[in-house]
Amino acid sequence: LRAKVTIEDMSDKLSVCVALGPAAGKWWVNSFEVSENAAAARGAAVVVFQDPRHLDLGVRAVVATDKVDKYHADKAGWAKVSEMVYDQYRMSRGAAQGPEELLAGNSTPLECNLELFGAVSFEKGCYVGQELTARTHFRGQVRKRLIPFLISSSAGGEVGGGAA
């Protein structure tokens, strides 16, 4: 089945927003009409969904760029943060993303915790490395993993963090 698809760059019109914390799901549902047709008509959220990797990673919404400030201003206790701050939060949860963090050819899906985030199926599919991934999983012999860590100075102050 090959259908013709048109891909349009909407990065100047749409933004991805993330709400974190225990009330994130309720906040987004109350802030946006989740119905795609109603949202598109209002120029609001086009898609709202729970980040499938982990509950701590919150809820994501694709929002019309010109509406982002309105939703943040309406909600007390919520603030915009830089992408760097979100990346640090995400990495502190052990969720790597992108080619800079998930080096192709140098690590397996299990070493990158992809099965913990629902990205690997052991029941179906056919993909490169499937046999090695399944064998490693069923034998329980993952010898290295991506884990979050924090390094503290001897004076007790925080020095930095990352993932290894």
Side-chain angles (χ1 to χ4, degrees), residues 5-9:
V5 176
T6 303
I7 298 174
E8 183 180 346
D9 181 4

Side-chain angles (χ1 to χ4, degrees), residues 36-119:
E36 193 171 321
N37 293 334
R42 283 183 34 220
V46 176
V47 179
V48 179
F49 62 95
Q50 174 71 47
D51 190 314
R53 296 173 296 178
H54 196 280
L55 290 175
D56 281 355
L57 296 176
V59 177
R60 291 180 177 225
V62 178
V63 181
T65 300
D66 60 347
K67 305 286 185 194
V68 172
D69 289 333
K70 173 190 179 297
Y71 292 110
H72 282 284
D74 288 349
K75 306 300 171 196
W78 293 83
K80 284 189 197 181
V81 296
S82 68
E83 191 170 339
M84 183 181 79
V85 170
Y86 173 73
D87 283 341
Q88 289 174 342
Y89 178 83
R90 175 185 51 77
M91 284 190 274
S92 75
R93 301 311 187 259
Q97 71 183 26
E100 298 83 23
E101 297 171 21
L102 302 169
L103 301 175
N106 292 335
S107 57
T108 68
L110 301 183
E111 292 171 348
C112 296
N113 299 325
L114 296 182
E115 86 285 9
L116 301 176
F117 298 125

Side-chain angles (χ1 to χ4, degrees), residues 104-162:
N106 292 335
S107 57
T108 68
L110 301 183
E111 292 171 348
C112 296
N113 299 325
L114 296 182
E115 86 285 9
L116 301 176
F117 298 125
V120 176
S121 173
F122 297 104
E123 297 175 14
K124 62 176 186 169
C126 186
Y127 52 89
V128 175
Q130 179 182 10
E131 290 178 17
L132 172 64
T133 300
R135 184 172 57 245
T136 303
H137 169 72
F138 290 115
R139 288 185 179 171
Q141 295 179 348
V142 180
R143 296 195 174 147
K144 57 184 179 176
R145 277 212 186 259
L146 181 71
I147 59 168
F149 66 91
L150 181 67
I151 300 172
S152 296
S153 70
S154 60
E158 186 177 303
V159 174

